[in-house]
Amino acid sequence: MPAEAEAVPGLDAVRRRTTAVLIASQILGSLGTAMGVALSSVLAQEIGGSEAVAGLAGTAAVAGTALLSVPVAALMSARGRRPGLALAYAVGAVGAGLSVLAAAVGSFPLLLLGMVAFGASTTANLQARFAAADLAPAGTLGRAISTVVWAATIGAVLGPNIAAPAGDSVAGLGIPATAGPFLWAAVVFLAASVLVLVLLRPDPLLTARSLDPAGSQTRESRSLRAGVRVVAGSARARLALVTISASHTAMVAIMVMTPVDLGHHGADIELIGLVISAHIAGMYAFAPVMGRLCDRVGPFTVIALTVALMASAALLAGTADGHHGRTTAGLFLLGLGWSAGLVAGSTLLTDAVPRAARAAVQGLSDLTMNASAGAGGALAGLIVARASYGWLNLAAALLLLPMAALALFTARPARA
């Protein structure tokens, strides 16, 4: 944001309104997403009849997030944040409805299709963090991004814990209880879509452009190819992309199979919900701390913290062997490490590229992080089925090594 824009009358009010709407939509979106994520692998195992396919539901959702990230980013770049976010939430609602139908008829392919569309809700939640940065004053990118990430705490923690009553609510409707949370998610996503469409005015991205004519975009600058070119030419942008992708992939791979492992060790649906709630609390509740750290000590330090937290998480969860308290602690640290990686990577990425290329690079970032996490989620079920949950955690920890090496290499010239 150029310095002269700071003095524009009414800009502070626009920032406050934008933040309030994004916070409200994040609460709703994360509520619906968390309800589905908590039981997606269990529902997939019930319909598919095999542990080996349990991770495919989460994988399909992550794949949907990846597939939609670029077109949604392109729509935002052309028309603003408002239509892109509203459309993504609406598609997520359709996906949740298809998942309920799949459970009712026992169709695994239909479940995967529904989960692909369900992933659009995560596209909206992730892109909202960049919307928060559109009007952020200089030196506050980390805090702006982390505020919206933090807002997901309420819905994300509440979601898994209302999975049981959501399941009870569909009794007598001819569908499994594990599909109840998806029915509730469809309603919540529709509410988030309407909220954004009606209240996110003026559009933060279009407002930022009007205040920064030098950052105006051409059609070419909005393309995925343009984003690739910008990232290829910036070591800091490459590190940001690797940080976001590696930390997200490691988190998804461990998280999607944790409910299945807990079930093997006698955990019921309520306990599974509590463990996932601890994990999601780690993901979101401390995001403002990560944002302030990024603004004060820099994203490189927070990336180092990401490696330490996620390695510790894999060690705890991977060696729990039925000790639910240890699994809970590991999943909490896993979420905390993800939060550090997402906030640090997003802050570094936004700061490392020119404004004209940001929308394209942001779309590329979400495509990369979710495509790689989709592959990780697919392999997670196979690793657990053929080896063990402990081996899965070790494999996830190994993903952190390239990120740590690249951070050390990139930080040297940055400090010189």
mmCIF file with all atom_site columns, all heavy atoms in Angstrom, residues 78-98:
data_model
loop_
_atom_site.group_PDB
_atom_site.id
_atom_site.type_symbol
_atom_site.label_atom_id
_atom_site.label_alt_id
_atom_site.label_comp_id
_atom_site.label_asym_id
_atom_site.label_entity_id
_atom_site.label_seq_id
_atom_site.pdbx_PDB_ins_code
_atom_site.Cartn_x
_atom_site.Cartn_y
_atom_site.Cartn_z
_atom_site.occupancy
_atom_site.B_iso_or_equiv
_atom_site.pdbx_formal_charge
_atom_site.auth_seq_id
_atom_site.auth_comp_id
_atom_site.auth_asym_id
_atom_site.auth_atom_id
_atom_site.pdbx_PDB_model_num
ATOM 1   N N   . ALA A 1 78 ? -10.037 -10.380 -11.927 1.00 0.00 ? 78 ALA A N   1
ATOM 2   C CA  . ALA A 1 78 ? -10.823 -9.663  -12.937 1.00 0.00 ? 78 ALA A CA  1
ATOM 3   C C   . ALA A 1 78 ? -11.971 -8.864  -12.332 1.00 0.00 ? 78 ALA A C   1
ATOM 4   O O   . ALA A 1 78 ? -12.266 -7.753  -12.755 1.00 0.00 ? 78 ALA A O   1
ATOM 5   C CB  . ALA A 1 78 ? -11.374 -10.657 -13.958 1.00 0.00 ? 78 ALA A CB  1
ATOM 6   N N   . ARG A 1 79 ? -12.644 -9.441  -11.307 1.00 0.00 ? 79 ARG A N   1
ATOM 7   C CA  . ARG A 1 79 ? -13.877 -8.835  -10.786 1.00 0.00 ? 79 ARG A CA  1
ATOM 8   C C   . ARG A 1 79 ? -13.805 -8.442  -9.314  1.00 0.00 ? 79 ARG A C   1
ATOM 9   O O   . ARG A 1 79 ? -14.743 -7.808  -8.824  1.00 0.00 ? 79 ARG A O   1
ATOM 10  C CB  . ARG A 1 79 ? -15.045 -9.806  -10.983 1.00 0.00 ? 79 ARG A CB  1
ATOM 11  C CG  . ARG A 1 79 ? -15.278 -10.213 -12.438 1.00 0.00 ? 79 ARG A CG  1
ATOM 12  C CD  . ARG A 1 79 ? -15.786 -9.046  -13.266 1.00 0.00 ? 79 ARG A CD  1
ATOM 13  N NE  . ARG A 1 79 ? -15.994 -9.436  -14.648 1.00 0.00 ? 79 ARG A NE  1
ATOM 14  C CZ  . ARG A 1 79 ? -17.125 -9.976  -15.118 1.00 0.00 ? 79 ARG A CZ  1
ATOM 15  N NH1 . ARG A 1 79 ? -18.129 -10.219 -14.288 1.00 0.00 ? 79 ARG A NH1 1
ATOM 16  N NH2 . ARG A 1 79 ? -17.231 -10.296 -16.401 1.00 0.00 ? 79 ARG A NH2 1
ATOM 17  N N   . GLY A 1 80 ? -12.763 -8.866  -8.610  1.00 0.00 ? 80 GLY A N   1
ATOM 18  C CA  . GLY A 1 80 ? -12.656 -8.534  -7.194  1.00 0.00 ? 80 GLY A CA  1
ATOM 19  C C   . GLY A 1 80 ? -12.813 -9.755  -6.302  1.00 0.00 ? 80 GLY A C   1
ATOM 20  O O   . GLY A 1 80 ? -13.163 -10.844 -6.742  1.00 0.00 ? 80 GLY A O   1
ATOM 21  N N   . ARG A 1 81 ? -12.535 -9.557  -5.017  1.00 0.00 ? 81 ARG A N   1
ATOM 22  C CA  . ARG A 1 81 ? -12.611 -10.652 -4.055  1.00 0.00 ? 81 ARG A CA  1
ATOM 23  C C   . ARG A 1 81 ? -14.048 -11.136 -3.837  1.00 0.00 ? 81 ARG A C   1
ATOM 24  O O   . ARG A 1 81 ? -14.274 -12.329 -3.637  1.00 0.00 ? 81 ARG A O   1
ATOM 25  C CB  . ARG A 1 81 ? -12.040 -10.200 -2.697  1.00 0.00 ? 81 ARG A CB  1
ATOM 26  C CG  . ARG A 1 81 ? -10.595 -9.734  -2.729  1.00 0.00 ? 81 ARG A CG  1
ATOM 27  C CD  . ARG A 1 81 ? -9.632  -10.874 -2.924  1.00 0.00 ? 81 ARG A CD  1
ATOM 28  N NE  . ARG A 1 81 ? -8.243  -10.423 -2.812  1.00 0.00 ? 81 ARG A NE  1
ATOM 29  C CZ  . ARG A 1 81 ? -7.195  -11.178 -3.080  1.00 0.00 ? 81 ARG A CZ  1
ATOM 30  N NH1 . ARG A 1 81 ? -7.361  -12.426 -3.477  1.00 0.00 ? 81 ARG A NH1 1
ATOM 31  N NH2 . ARG A 1 81 ? -5.962  -10.691 -2.965  1.00 0.00 ? 81 ARG A NH2 1
ATOM 32  N N   . ARG A 1 82 ? -15.012 -10.239 -3.844  1.00 0.00 ? 82 ARG A N   1
ATOM 33  C CA  . ARG A 1 82 ? -16.383 -10.570 -3.470  1.00 0.00 ? 82 ARG A CA  1
ATOM 34  C C   . ARG A 1 82 ? -16.989 -11.681 -4.316  1.00 0.00 ? 82 ARG A C   1
ATOM 35  O O   . ARG A 1 82 ? -17.459 -12.698 -3.772  1.00 0.00 ? 82 ARG A O   1
ATOM 36  C CB  . ARG A 1 82 ? -17.246 -9.296  -3.521  1.00 0.00 ? 82 ARG A CB  1
ATOM 37  C CG  . ARG A 1 82 ? -18.677 -9.476  -3.017  1.00 0.00 ? 82 ARG A CG  1
ATOM 38  C CD  . ARG A 1 82 ? -19.351 -8.114  -2.879  1.00 0.00 ? 82 ARG A CD  1
ATOM 39  N NE  . ARG A 1 82 ? -19.412 -7.452  -4.176  1.00 0.00 ? 82 ARG A NE  1
ATOM 40  C CZ  . ARG A 1 82 ? -20.421 -7.587  -5.024  1.00 0.00 ? 82 ARG A CZ  1
ATOM 41  N NH1 . ARG A 1 82 ? -21.442 -8.367  -4.728  1.00 0.00 ? 82 ARG A NH1 1
ATOM 42  N NH2 . ARG A 1 82 ? -20.426 -6.960  -6.166  1.00 0.00 ? 82 ARG A NH2 1
ATOM 43  N N   . PRO A 1 83 ? -17.019 -11.585 -5.647  1.00 0.00 ? 83 PRO A N   1
ATOM 44  C CA  . PRO A 1 83 ? -17.626 -12.667 -6.426  1.00 0.00 ? 83 PRO A CA  1
ATOM 45  C C   . PRO A 1 83 ? -16.855 -13.978 -6.327  1.00 0.00 ? 83 PRO A C   1
ATOM 46  O O   . PRO A 1 83 ? -17.456 -15.058 -6.341  1.00 0.00 ? 83 PRO A O   1
ATOM 47  C CB  . PRO A 1 83 ? -17.622 -12.124 -7.854  1.00 0.00 ? 83 PRO A CB  1
ATOM 48  C CG  . PRO A 1 83 ? -16.585 -11.062 -7.882  1.00 0.00 ? 83 PRO A CG  1
ATOM 49  C CD  . PRO A 1 83 ? -16.604 -10.453 -6.516  1.00 0.00 ? 83 PRO A CD  1
ATOM 50  N N   . GLY A 1 84 ? -15.527 -13.914 -6.220  1.00 0.00 ? 84 GLY A N   1
ATOM 51  C CA  . GLY A 1 84 ? -14.736 -15.129 -6.122  1.00 0.00 ? 84 GLY A CA  1
ATOM 52  C C   . GLY A 1 84 ? -15.019 -15.893 -4.840  1.00 0.00 ? 84 GLY A C   1
ATOM 53  O O   . GLY A 1 84 ? -15.231 -17.108 -4.850  1.00 0.00 ? 84 GLY A O   1
ATOM 54  N N   . LEU A 1 85 ? -15.032 -15.187 -3.699  1.00 0.00 ? 85 LEU A N   1
ATOM 55  C CA  . LEU A 1 85 ? -15.298 -15.843 -2.421  1.00 0.00 ? 85 LEU A CA  1
ATOM 56  C C   . LEU A 1 85 ? -16.717 -16.386 -2.365  1.00 0.00 ? 85 LEU A C   1
ATOM 57  O O   . LEU A 1 85 ? -16.953 -17.511 -1.897  1.00 0.00 ? 85 LEU A O   1
ATOM 58  C CB  . LEU A 1 85 ? -15.066 -14.860 -1.268  1.00 0.00 ? 85 LEU A CB  1
ATOM 59  C CG  . LEU A 1 85 ? -13.624 -14.416 -1.036  1.00 0.00 ? 85 LEU A CG  1
ATOM 60  C CD1 . LEU A 1 85 ? -13.560 -13.348 0.057   1.00 0.00 ? 85 LEU A CD1 1
ATOM 61  C CD2 . LEU A 1 85 ? -12.738 -15.598 -0.652  1.00 0.00 ? 85 LEU A CD2 1
ATOM 62  N N   . ALA A 1 86 ? -17.696 -15.600 -2.844  1.00 0.00 ? 86 ALA A N   1
ATOM 63  C CA  . ALA A 1 86 ? -19.091 -16.028 -2.801  1.00 0.00 ? 86 ALA A CA  1
ATOM 64  C C   . ALA A 1 86 ? -19.306 -17.284 -3.648  1.00 0.00 ? 86 ALA A C   1
ATOM 65  O O   . ALA A 1 86 ? -20.003 -18.220 -3.234  1.00 0.00 ? 86 ALA A O   1
ATOM 66  C CB  . ALA A 1 86 ? -20.007 -14.906 -3.280  1.00 0.00 ? 86 ALA A CB  1
ATOM 67  N N   . LEU A 1 87 ? -18.704 -17.317 -4.829  1.00 0.00 ? 87 LEU A N   1
ATOM 68  C CA  . LEU A 1 87 ? -18.851 -18.486 -5.702  1.00 0.00 ? 87 LEU A CA  1
ATOM 69  C C   . LEU A 1 87 ? -18.214 -19.723 -5.072  1.00 0.00 ? 87 LEU A C   1
ATOM 70  O O   . LEU A 1 87 ? -18.787 -20.825 -5.112  1.00 0.00 ? 87 LEU A O   1
ATOM 71  C CB  . LEU A 1 87 ? -18.213 -18.206 -7.057  1.00 0.00 ? 87 LEU A CB  1
ATOM 72  C CG  . LEU A 1 87 ? -18.227 -19.377 -8.050  1.00 0.00 ? 87 LEU A CG  1
ATOM 73  C CD1 . LEU A 1 87 ? -19.653 -19.770 -8.396  1.00 0.00 ? 87 LEU A CD1 1
ATOM 74  C CD2 . LEU A 1 87 ? -17.438 -19.032 -9.310  1.00 0.00 ? 87 LEU A CD2 1
ATOM 75  N N   . ALA A 1 88 ? -17.045 -19.566 -4.488  1.00 0.00 ? 88 ALA A N   1
ATOM 76  C CA  . ALA A 1 88 ? -16.354 -20.711 -3.895  1.00 0.00 ? 88 ALA A CA  1
ATOM 77  C C   . ALA A 1 88 ? -17.167 -21.311 -2.754  1.00 0.00 ? 88 ALA A C   1
ATOM 78  O O   . ALA A 1 88 ? -17.287 -22.546 -2.643  1.00 0.00 ? 88 ALA A O   1
ATOM 79  C CB  . ALA A 1 88 ? -14.968 -20.293 -3.396  1.00 0.00 ? 88 ALA A CB  1
ATOM 80  N N   . TYR A 1 89 ? -17.746 -20.489 -1.909  1.00 0.00 ? 89 TYR A N   1
ATOM 81  C CA  . TYR A 1 89 ? -18.585 -21.016 -0.827  1.00 0.00 ? 89 TYR A CA  1
ATOM 82  C C   . TYR A 1 89 ? -19.827 -21.720 -1.375  1.00 0.00 ? 89 TYR A C   1
ATOM 83  O O   . TYR A 1 89 ? -20.253 -22.758 -0.847  1.00 0.00 ? 89 TYR A O   1
ATOM 84  C CB  . TYR A 1 89 ? -19.008 -19.895 0.121   1.00 0.00 ? 89 TYR A CB  1
ATOM 85  C CG  . TYR A 1 89 ? -17.947 -19.485 1.114   1.00 0.00 ? 89 TYR A CG  1
ATOM 86  C CD1 . TYR A 1 89 ? -17.560 -18.151 1.251   1.00 0.00 ? 89 TYR A CD1 1
ATOM 87  C CD2 . TYR A 1 89 ? -17.336 -20.440 1.937   1.00 0.00 ? 89 TYR A CD2 1
ATOM 88  C CE1 . TYR A 1 89 ? -16.590 -17.772 2.172   1.00 0.00 ? 89 TYR A CE1 1
ATOM 89  C CE2 . TYR A 1 89 ? -16.355 -20.066 2.847   1.00 0.00 ? 89 TYR A CE2 1
ATOM 90  C CZ  . TYR A 1 89 ? -15.996 -18.733 2.965   1.00 0.00 ? 89 TYR A CZ  1
ATOM 91  O OH  . TYR A 1 89 ? -15.028 -18.362 3.872   1.00 0.00 ? 89 TYR A OH  1
ATOM 92  N N   . ALA A 1 90 ? -20.412 -21.175 -2.430  1.00 0.00 ? 90 ALA A N   1
ATOM 93  C CA  . ALA A 1 90 ? -21.601 -21.794 -3.022  1.00 0.00 ? 90 ALA A CA  1
ATOM 94  C C   . ALA A 1 90 ? -21.280 -23.166 -3.608  1.00 0.00 ? 90 ALA A C   1
ATOM 95  O O   . ALA A 1 90 ? -22.059 -24.125 -3.453  1.00 0.00 ? 90 ALA A O   1
ATOM 96  C CB  . ALA A 1 90 ? -22.187 -20.877 -4.099  1.00 0.00 ? 90 ALA A CB  1
ATOM 97  N N   . VAL A 1 91 ? -20.140 -23.284 -4.278  1.00 0.00 ? 91 VAL A N   1
ATOM 98  C CA  . VAL A 1 91 ? -19.731 -24.585 -4.824  1.00 0.00 ? 91 VAL A CA  1
ATOM 99  C C   . VAL A 1 91 ? -19.488 -25.571 -3.686  1.00 0.00 ? 91 VAL A C   1
ATOM 100 O O   . VAL A 1 91 ? -19.830 -26.758 -3.784  1.00 0.00 ? 91 VAL A O   1
ATOM 101 C CB  . VAL A 1 91 ? -18.478 -24.434 -5.698  1.00 0.00 ? 91 VAL A CB  1
ATOM 102 C CG1 . VAL A 1 91 ? -17.946 -25.797 -6.135  1.00 0.00 ? 91 VAL A CG1 1
ATOM 103 C CG2 . VAL A 1 91 ? -18.796 -23.591 -6.928  1.00 0.00 ? 91 VAL A CG2 1
ATOM 104 N N   . GLY A 1 92 ? -18.912 -25.099 -2.584  1.00 0.00 ? 92 GLY A N   1
ATOM 105 C CA  . GLY A 1 92 ? -18.704 -25.954 -1.419  1.00 0.00 ? 92 GLY A CA  1
ATOM 106 C C   . GLY A 1 92 ? -20.019 -26.495 -0.875  1.00 0.00 ? 92 GLY A C   1
ATOM 107 O O   . GLY A 1 92 ? -20.098 -27.658 -0.445  1.00 0.00 ? 92 GLY A O   1
ATOM 108 N N   . ALA A 1 93 ? -21.069 -25.669 -0.892  1.00 0.00 ? 93 ALA A N   1
ATOM 109 C CA  . ALA A 1 93 ? -22.389 -26.110 -0.432  1.00 0.00 ? 93 ALA A CA  1
ATOM 110 C C   . ALA A 1 93 ? -22.931 -27.223 -1.325  1.00 0.00 ? 93 ALA A C   1
ATOM 111 O O   . ALA A 1 93 ? -23.514 -28.206 -0.842  1.00 0.00 ? 93 ALA A O   1
ATOM 112 C CB  . ALA A 1 93 ? -23.348 -24.929 -0.404  1.00 0.00 ? 93 ALA A CB  1
ATOM 113 N N   . VAL A 1 94 ? -22.751 -27.075 -2.624  1.00 0.00 ? 94 VAL A N   1
ATOM 114 C CA  . VAL A 1 94 ? -23.181 -28.120 -3.563  1.00 0.00 ? 94 VAL A CA  1
ATOM 115 C C   . VAL A 1 94 ? -22.432 -29.421 -3.276  1.00 0.00 ? 94 VAL A C   1
ATOM 116 O O   . VAL A 1 94 ? -23.010 -30.517 -3.264  1.00 0.00 ? 94 VAL A O   1
ATOM 117 C CB  . VAL A 1 94 ? -22.957 -27.668 -5.018  1.00 0.00 ? 94 VAL A CB  1
ATOM 118 C CG1 . VAL A 1 94 ? -23.217 -28.831 -5.986  1.00 0.00 ? 94 VAL A CG1 1
ATOM 119 C CG2 . VAL A 1 94 ? -23.855 -26.489 -5.349  1.00 0.00 ? 94 VAL A CG2 1
ATOM 120 N N   . GLY A 1 95 ? -21.139 -29.317 -3.033  1.00 0.00 ? 95 GLY A N   1
ATOM 121 C CA  . GLY A 1 95 ? -20.339 -30.502 -2.734  1.00 0.00 ? 95 GLY A CA  1
ATOM 122 C C   . GLY A 1 95 ? -20.793 -31.204 -1.468  1.00 0.00 ? 95 GLY A C   1
ATOM 123 O O   . GLY A 1 95 ? -20.840 -32.446 -1.410  1.00 0.00 ? 95 GLY A O   1
ATOM 124 N N   . ALA A 1 96 ? -21.118 -30.428 -0.430  1.00 0.00 ? 96 ALA A N   1
ATOM 125 C CA  . ALA A 1 96 ? -21.605 -31.031 0.809   1.00 0.00 ? 96 ALA A CA  1
ATOM 126 C C   . ALA A 1 96 ? -22.912 -31.782 0.562   1.00 0.00 ? 96 ALA A C   1
ATOM 127 O O   . ALA A 1 96 ? -23.124 -32.888 1.084   1.00 0.00 ? 96 ALA A O   1
ATOM 128 C CB  . ALA A 1 96 ? -21.802 -29.952 1.875   1.00 0.00 ? 96 ALA A CB  1
ATOM 129 N N   . GLY A 1 97 ? -23.792 -31.193 -0.245  1.00 0.00 ? 97 GLY A N   1
ATOM 130 C CA  . GLY A 1 97 ? -25.046 -31.865 -0.571  1.00 0.00 ? 97 GLY A CA  1
ATOM 131 C C   . GLY A 1 97 ? -24.834 -33.158 -1.335  1.00 0.00 ? 97 GLY A C   1
ATOM 132 O O   . GLY A 1 97 ? -25.509 -34.176 -1.082  1.00 0.00 ? 97 GLY A O   1
ATOM 133 N N   . LEU A 1 98 ? -23.894 -33.155 -2.277  1.00 0.00 ? 98 LEU A N   1
ATOM 134 C CA  . LEU A 1 98 ? -23.594 -34.375 -3.036  1.00 0.00 ? 98 LEU A CA  1
ATOM 135 C C   . LEU A 1 98 ? -23.020 -35.461 -2.126  1.00 0.00 ? 98 LEU A C   1
ATOM 136 O O   . LEU A 1 98 ? -23.282 -36.655 -2.328  1.00 0.00 ? 98 LEU A O   1
ATOM 137 C CB  . LEU A 1 98 ? -22.594 -34.064 -4.159  1.00 0.00 ? 98 LEU A CB  1
ATOM 138 C CG  . LEU A 1 98 ? -23.128 -33.273 -5.352  1.00 0.00 ? 98 LEU A CG  1
ATOM 139 C CD1 . LEU A 1 98 ? -21.990 -32.948 -6.315  1.00 0.00 ? 98 LEU A CD1 1
ATOM 140 C CD2 . LEU A 1 98 ? -24.225 -34.054 -6.070  1.00 0.00 ? 98 LEU A CD2 1
#
